[in-house]
Amino acid sequence: MRSGSSFLKGVAAGTPIALGYLSVSFAFGIQAVGCGLSFVQASLISLTNLTSAGQVAGVGVIASGGSLVEMAAVQFTINLRYALMGLSLSQNLDKRFTLPHRLLAAYGITDEIFAVCSTSSEPIRPSYMYGIISIATLGWVSGTFIGGFAGQALPESVTAALGIVIYGMFIAIIVPPSAKHKSILFVVVLAALLSIACRALLPGLSSGFAVIICAVVSSVAAALIFPKKEEEAAS
């Protein structure tokens, strides 16, 4: 298969992702503008990050006047999973995937792109993955731009209502696995309770460090209470 046709195949595979990103990033654009950023700044954040949860948390840190150290810690905690996804995908890469290609492709490893690439029946070529990343990034940045522009033009009452969409996405992500796995439900509930506790007992704690505390404590607690057996981990 030629690189051109492989790239177009990647674009086709990534088009549904791009359409999904368009609506979600629209909500992010509105939220970012509501926190004091311009629609151009919001679009640049989407272009250079490509991570929904990380961007939402990052805008929160910016809005609260957090430090660079806090921002780095928040992004590391939230986005560490992408490194694990990259390690998993590295087992199914074509021999053309040299180090420069790996470094470039690492930019576009998201949950959805990982899911599509991990189901590939043949080794993943650089051009195929670039096709998926290109169209997905276009959808994500375009949605942010449109949402941010609308956030500056529409009445505040309308933008406030539309801004809830991104939280609806997060709820839709956690509900199905929580219904199937007690460990995930435990993490979700504990993280929510810890967030409420931080808000009530530590009002001076920034949103960034609150995210870190809730994520790390709930994850460690779940690992201790619901340890995975060796045979399960191997499978």
Side-chain angles (χ1 to χ4, degrees):
M1 183 184 296
R2 294 181 179 179
S3 297
S5 58
S6 178
F7 179 85
L8 293 177
K9 184 178 179 181
V11 170
T15 297
I17 298 176
L19 295 175
Y21 280 177
L22 192 66
S23 59
V24 175
S25 60
F26 178 88
F28 168 74
I30 289 178
Q31 183 198 41
V33 169
C35 290
L37 299 176
S38 69
F39 68 91
V40 175
Q41 290 172 325
S43 300
L44 288 174
I45 290 175
S46 284
L47 179 62
T48 55
N49 287 269
L50 204 62
T51 161
S52 56
Q55 290 180 212
V56 171
V59 167
V61 173
I62 293 173
S64 63
S67 65
L68 292 176
V69 173
E70 181 181 347
M71 176 68 80
V74 168
Q75 296 305 315
F76 178 81
T77 303
I78 294 177
N79 297 323
L80 181 61
R81 71 187 188 280
Y82 294 131
L84 303 178
M85 293 179 188
L87 290 174
S88 178
L89 284 181
S90 67
Q91 307 302 310
N92 193 33
L93 297 181
D94 187 88
K95 61 182 179 179
R96 298 176 180 83
F97 246 109
T98 58
L99 180 58
H101 283 305
R102 289 171 184 258
L103 294 175
L104 286 173
Y107 156 80
I109 297 178
T110 66
D111 302 82
E112 295 78 12
I113 292 176
F114 168 76
V116 171
C117 290
S118 62
T119 58
S120 176
S121 59
E122 55 187 31
I124 303 168
R125 297 177 57 148
S127 54
Y128 174 77
M129 196 162 187
Y130 290 153
I132 298 178
I133 293 173
S134 298
I135 191 66
T137 301
L138 179 62
W140 186 255
V141 177
S142 298
T144 303
F145 183 88
I146 297 170
F149 185 81
Q152 292 185 337
L154 295 175
E156 185 176 352
S157 58
V158 177
T159 58
L162 292 174
I164 299 176
V165 173
I166 197 164
Y167 298 105
M169 179 201 72
F170 292 139
I171 293 174
I173 290 174
I174 64 175
V175 167
S178 296
K180 294 181 180 180
H181 304 284
K182 293 181 180 179
S183 57
I184 298 178
L185 178 61
F186 173 82
V187 170
V188 171
V189 173
L190 180 57
L193 293 175
L194 288 173
S195 179
I196 295 172
C198 288
R199 184 74 174 181
L201 303 177
L202 301 170
L205 184 67
S206 66
S207 61
F209 284 117
V211 168
I212 295 171
I213 293 173
C214 295
V216 173
V217 173
S218 57
S219 298
V220 172
L224 294 174
I225 298 174
F226 300 95
K228 180 173 287 188
K229 297 180 181 180
E230 291 186 6
E231 57 269 20
E232 293 179 353
S235 61

